[in-house]
Amino acid sequence: MQPDFLKGIRFADFTWAGAGPFSTKLFSDFGAEILKIEGVSRPDPVRVGGPFKDGVYGINRSGYFASRNTGKRSVAINLKNGQSRETLYDIIRQSDVISNNFGPGAMERLGFGYEDVKAIKPDIIYLAMPMYGEDGPLANLLGVGMTISAVTGLMWQTGYEGEGPIGPGTHFPDHAANPYHAAFAVMAALRYKRATGKGMKIDLSQVESTINCMGLAYVEHAVTGVERERLGNRSPHFAPHNIFRCAGEDEWCAITVLKDSQWAALCEVIGDRELASDPTLATAKGRLAQIERVEAAVAAWTAARDPVSVMQALQARGVPAGLVASCRYLMDEDPQLRHRGYWQTVDHPEIGEARFTSPPFLLDGERVSLKRPPLIGEHTEEVLAEVLGYAPERISALRAEGVLE
Amino acid sequence: MSQVRPYGGTRIIDLTRELGLYAARLFADLGAEVIRIEPPQGGPDRPVPAATGGSEQATATGVQFAFLNLNKKSIVIDRKTPSGRAVFEDLVASAQIVICEPGPDEPDLVAELIAVPGHRVVTVVSYFGTDGPYSGFTGSDLVVQALGGIAYLSGEPGRTPLALPARQSLFVTSLYTAAATAIALWDSERSGGSHVLDISAQECIAHSLQNAVQVYDLENRILARGGEGIRDATESAFTCKDGYVFLAAPLALSASWSGLLKWMEEEGFDGLARLREPDWADRPTRAQAPMRAEFRALFERFIADKTKAELGAEALRRKIVMAPVSRIADLHTDPQLVFRRYFQKVAMPGLGREVSFPGAPYRLSEPVWRIDRGAPALGEHDEDILGRASSKIAHR
């Protein structure tokens, strides 16, 4: 289904790279009109960052861009051209939301600070999502998603026991914490506007947003004064609780015994009567005290088996277990995602048919189907004509002036 | 309160156990009346122990509960009794949203919720979704990080994949849950219809894998942990005098790379000449293991006598993408967070004192986000809610 839940809501969307566009994508997937303001001379970095169809570079061939911008309309305007401001003001006057994830001050320098925009569109919802917030001594620190992991404790706590910090293998805060906190805030602002007629500014510091996702660790430290040391995949409460090597090349399975009854079931599955009958291992506390012995027994069993059979054998007895899936496994083999129709194919003029993640839920039993991402500047002229009512001559003049790219 | 808030007047029945707890809280922070309906012994999330201090640290039990249930209300209903079920249905009928995580002993819960007359959003949150071959699987944070694909991407090549800390599956799932539920409510109110959302934590994690999905689909390459061949040699955590710093100075962030070289030049660092050789101008080469190892040795030598604070100041001054790797214990003194008065004090009655909590995830120019109350005691709002919802008081 292609839901039109947000039909009639228009964004002047200045976001680029990862976190910002991933947030506004949710709105286009639900029927809002997202006018993606982007330049050709200074394109969205993920348009030039790849991966590209067949590994061949092209400004319309980036899969990363495609996955963040489904259903949007692309308006190619050179922001650095001083003449572009009036056109952009006209777009903003016709929009409910203006969004950006530039550093502090960038929008102000372009003439699109909150006060500037409010002057021409008093009830605007203004989403800004700079890394460290709009003001303060570190507001101008430059960063990427991993920088956010670094300053929030997320990187510190991700690593092997007894070794240094490694951090998530991705720019993790860009892909859920920040885009979805932002989307939730925009929906709240839309409701507030519906009730009061007033807009608002949303200053989403990506660091502050991400610390909420580290909230359990933060509050525990605040209460106990103790910061948990890195444990790899182990748990301070449960054992076994780890990722175990299985037969095959780089094959692994996570196994987590969260209840003593699951320990008994695990011992039966692996056929180890000595472990099963050892009273010192009957409780989590006892197993934690002999963690090396417990894990060695499990590892010896998994090492000779493929991860699917390990997972199935344990799950059949109610023991939480799951193989460590690569993207290849998720896309080609995972029976659950296949059953639920998670991967959907979208056709694109330059990329061709490509597969994308669906929004991660079923809505009334159906998938939200994605509309294809735009070519750069694909909708410039129709937006100027249809939304702003510009005559063809005016559009041609803007193109001649270099406002339109 | 006369102040209009985004979810003022919205009632949410919160039947979450784990994955959806933070979603319901986000609504409560913006004015929704979020009601936890708990069995007489309390919800399963109440006794979760703290992760610090080992399994015997009973004193910190409830810390996680306190964070995830801020601003919510609690009532006790025994849904196993007929009168309890009647009250439960009345409450659902009075709500605009129900967020639930059905347990293995509640196979009919979703059908019961959908059968209640009226229009509302029913959001069902689970590890793997409500149907399919894994729908009967038992989940956990580590298991779903494995099956969702994020564990495969973290850690070092050849070694065990690493899960992310502090129950990230709960937060990722809750954030998608909250955003999708908010959009469904918007339509429910506008159209007068009902919606059912079936949210899978596995799908939420798989939706958050950066560009790994497209790298496989378009270029037939499988991204793996360590960023081997993908991540620039400069993008990592490095050891400095008093801890670690994270640096990112790939050629794509040209100002960061040139700022780094200029800094080395100013200090007369003897490793600079090597970084000016042609192989350092080639993006793919820079992502290879030998280059990564070489850069680590070189850069750690450059920063061995520099502290995190000194490096942070240089990053700001020189526009280099570099920042200290903070411990959790460092956060409350982070100068930026202190300046912005980010952290909030919340009273924790069980401890008899106030505790510092993370503040709002977004700063709104209208005063609609706030902490009205700490996490509720079991049944704290029985009279408040049930007096209004129903005359059937023999619910327990």
Side-chain angles (χ1 to χ4, degrees):
Chain A
M1 71 188 295
Q2 282 193 349
D4 64 353
F5 292 7
L6 302 178
K7 192 174 176 193
I9 294 167
R10 182 179 293 133
F11 280 54
D13 185 9
F14 290 73
T15 64
W16 67 351
F22 211 23
S23 183
T24 57
K25 164 190 151 67
L26 182 66
F27 293 83
S28 52
D29 289 344
F30 274 92
E33 183 182 11
I34 309 301
L35 304 180
K36 185 177 179 73
I37 312 298
E38 54 177 339
V40 176
S41 48
R42 195 162 175 262
D44 185 335
V46 300
R47 275 201 183 272
V48 296
F52 303 105
K53 170 68 172 172
D54 303 325
V56 178
Y57 170 77
I59 200 159
N60 292 313
R61 295 172 68 87
S62 164
Y64 197 177
F65 177 87
S67 69
R68 263 63 185 155
N69 292 283
T70 50
K72 298 180 187 174
R73 305 177 87 188
S74 171
V75 180
I77 294 185
N78 183 352
L79 295 180
K80 297 277 182 181
N81 184 322
Q83 308 292 321
S84 68
R85 194 174 293 184
E86 284 312 314
T87 303
L88 288 164
Y89 281 156
D90 283 345
I91 290 174
I92 293 164
R93 282 189 191 95
Q94 301 299 323
S95 298
D96 303 282
V97 181
I98 178 172
S99 44
N100 83 85
N101 60 335
F102 300 139
M107 287 292 270
E108 284 75 6
R109 287 191 291 277
L110 292 166
F112 307 116
Y114 182 51
E115 296 304 325
D116 304 317
V117 170
K118 212 165 56 164
I120 59 159
K121 175 71 175 170
D123 62 352
I124 195 75
I125 292 167
Y126 189 102
L127 170 66
M129 38 196 306
M131 182 177 84
Y132 235 137
E134 295 254 295
D135 56 350
L138 302 180
N140 290 315
L141 189 70
L142 299 174
V144 292
M146 287 187 190
T147 314
I148 300 165
S149 296
V151 301
T152 56
L154 179 55
M155 183 172 281
W156 177 270
Q157 289 215 336
T158 306
Y160 298 103
E161 194 170 354
E163 301 180 26
I166 294 177
T170 64
H171 296 284
F172 185 70
D174 288 352
H175 311 307
N178 299 322
Y180 288 87
H181 270 132
F184 186 77
V186 170
M187 281 309 299
L190 285 165
R191 291 179 68 82
Y192 186 77
K193 180 181 161 187
R194 190 176 68 184
T196 65
K198 289 161 75 175
M200 69 169 80
K201 181 178 182 185
I202 301 163
D203 171 14
L204 185 141
S205 153
Q206 298 200 38
V207 170
E208 293 173 2
S209 156
T210 301
I211 292 175
N212 267 276
C213 296
M214 291 300 288
L216 300 179
Y218 180 82
V219 175
E220 288 195 0
H221 173 262
V223 169
T224 65
V226 178
E227 178 169 357
R228 201 187 90 175
E229 291 303 319
R230 244 171 261 113
L231 286 177
N233 299 311
R234 286 178 175 171
S235 157
H237 307 299
F238 307 115
H241 185 285
N242 213 329
I243 291 175
F244 295 88
R245 190 186 284 277
C246 300
E249 175 77 21
D250 202 24
E251 300 281 1
W252 306 81
C253 189
I255 299 172
T256 59
V257 167
L258 309 180
K259 296 176 182 170
D260 295 336
S261 60
Q262 292 168 350
W263 169 247
L266 180 136
C267 290
E268 274 188 45
V269 171
I270 71 175
D272 194 323
R273 288 189 187 166
E274 189 196 325
L275 287 184
S277 59
D278 187 337
T280 67
L281 298 177
T283 65
K285 191 181 158 192
R287 293 189 295 277
L288 283 165
Q290 301 178 64
I291 184 119
E292 301 296 343
R293 177 183 166 209
V294 166
E295 289 187 348
V298 178
W301 180 74
T302 62
R305 286 164 180 79
D306 72 84
V308 175
S309 65
V310 167
M311 173 175 79
Q312 292 289 0
L314 291 170
Q315 283 286 357
R317 297 295 310 275
V319 180
L323 62 86
V324 176
S326 67
C327 270
R328 186 202 61 75
Y329 184 87
L330 291 176
M331 298 188 81
D332 293 352
E333 294 188 43
D334 185 290
Q336 179 68 9
L337 297 180
R338 186 186 305 136
H339 175 91
R340 283 172 59 87
Y342 182 58
W343 302 106
Q344 58 179 285
T345 301
V346 177
D347 199 7
H348 181 281
E350 295 198 25
I351 297 174
E353 288 195 342
R355 289 195 293 165
F356 295 88
T357 51
S358 296
F361 44 79
L362 296 173
L363 171 62
D364 301 325
E366 295 182 49
R367 282 292 168 194
V368 171
S369 48
L370 303 172
K371 292 154 284 191
R372 78 162 171 84
L375 308 177
I376 193 161
E378 181 176 354
H379 306 96
T380 307
E381 294 188 6
E382 66 183 61
V383 166
L384 265 56
E386 292 167 16
V387 179
L388 306 186
Y390 283 11
E393 304 75 42
R394 185 169 179 190
I395 294 171
S396 304
L398 288 169
R399 198 167 284 287
E401 288 169 12
V403 168
L404 307 183
E405 293 191 317
Chain B
M1 293 286 171
S2 58
Q3 167 74 44
V4 175
R5 299 173 72 190
Y7 290 97
T10 301
R11 175 174 276 188
I12 298 178
I13 302 301
D14 180 2
L15 301 171
T16 62
R17 296 160 174 266
E18 181 183 3
L19 295 165
L21 285 164
Y22 183 66
R25 205 204 112 179
L26 287 170
F27 285 98
D29 293 348
L30 293 171
E33 183 184 43
V34 176
I35 305 172
R36 288 173 55 92
I37 297 185
E38 303 190 60
Q41 73 275 20
D45 54 331
R46 284 188 179 270
V48 173
T52 44
S55 57
E56 289 182 295
Q57 182 132 359
T59 51
T61 296
V63 173
Q64 302 199 355
F65 180 85
F67 178 71
L68 295 168
N69 294 282
L70 212 62
N71 283 332
K72 297 182 186 178
K73 294 180 177 180
S74 163
I75 65 170
V76 171
I77 293 179
D78 185 351
R79 288 190 275 134
K80 293 188 177 116
T81 67
S83 60
R85 275 199 299 278
V87 175
F88 177 68
E89 281 181 24
D90 286 350
L91 277 167
V92 171
S94 72
Q96 289 75 47
I97 294 173
V98 181
I99 308 178
C100 66
E101 279 181 73
D105 55 338
E106 300 177 307
D108 304 322
L109 176 62
V110 175
E112 287 168 16
L113 291 170
I114 293 171
V116 175
H119 62 89
R120 69 187 57 80
V121 177
V122 174
T123 301
V124 187
V125 189
S126 62
Y127 275 103
F128 302 104
T130 61
D131 66 338
Y134 293 179
S135 58
F137 274 18
T138 308
S140 71
D141 178 51
L142 182 62
V143 162
V144 80
Q145 289 200 42
L147 277 168
I150 191 71
Y152 191 81
L153 297 173
S154 299
E156 291 183 348
R159 298 181 66 191
T160 313
L162 274 179
L164 307 186
R167 293 167 80 190
Q168 288 308 302
S169 67
L170 181 164
F171 288 95
V172 170
T173 307
S174 268
L175 283 163
Y176 285 103
T177 297
T181 301
I183 292 172
L185 176 68
W186 178 270
D187 187 69
S188 175
E189 290 172 335
R190 195 181 59 163
S191 69
S194 289
H195 292 297
V196 179
L197 284 162
D198 169 2
I199 297 184
S200 151
Q202 183 197 18
E203 293 177 8
C204 291
I205 302 269
H207 200 259
S208 308
L209 302 178
Q210 196 161 292
N211 59 355
V213 165
Q214 270 64 44
V215 167
Y216 177 63
D217 188 49
L218 298 184
E219 298 190 353
N220 203 30
R221 289 184 293 130
I222 302 169
L223 293 192
R225 56 199 178 281
E228 188 69 44
I230 297 293
R231 219 195 294 167
D232 189 74
T234 65
E235 290 179 282
S236 188
F238 297 96
T239 306
C240 66
K241 186 178 181 183
D242 61 346
Y244 299 85
V245 288
F246 171 75
L247 172 72
L251 296 177
L253 297 171
S254 58
S256 189
W257 176 243
S258 60
L260 175 67
L261 298 188
K262 188 158 180 289
W263 180 21
M264 290 177 168
E265 185 175 5
E266 285 174 22
E267 296 210 354
F269 179 58
D270 63 7
L272 176 62
R274 172 68 190 103
L275 296 179
R276 288 202 164 132
E277 288 176 19
D279 49 346
W280 283 102
D282 184 65
R283 290 187 193 199
T285 305
R286 290 169 58 118
Q288 302 307 318
M291 300 290 272
R292 292 156 65 96
E294 186 182 359
F295 184 82
R296 174 171 298 282
L298 189 151
F299 185 63
E300 289 188 343
R301 192 158 58 81
F302 180 62
I303 62 173
D305 61 345
K306 299 175 175 69
T307 64
K308 285 189 286 183
E310 288 163 359
L311 291 165
E314 293 292 342
L316 202 56
R317 192 160 75 86
R318 297 174 179 276
K319 300 193 181 301
I320 297 171
V321 176
M322 182 170 65
V325 179
S326 298
R327 305 181 61 127
I328 297 295
D330 297 331
L331 299 181
H332 72 281
T333 54
D334 177 305
Q336 176 75 2
L337 299 171
V338 169
F339 176 90
R340 283 170 58 91
R341 302 174 195 276
Y342 169 64
F343 294 106
Q344 303 264 330
K345 293 280 187 194
V346 177
M348 282 190 66
L351 294 172
R353 62 182 165 98
E354 288 192 322
V355 172
S356 172
F357 273 48
Y362 22 69
R363 198 157 297 215
L364 308 176
S365 61
E366 297 288 307
V368 295
W369 185 99
R370 64 170 175 262
I371 297 173
D372 292 314
R373 63 178 77 83
L378 181 62
E380 183 179 340
H381 302 92
D382 278 2
E383 275 183 41
D384 171 24
I385 308 288
L386 297 177
R388 285 191 275 146
S390 170
S391 57
K392 305 179 191 89
I393 51 170
H395 59 279
R396 288 200 187 180

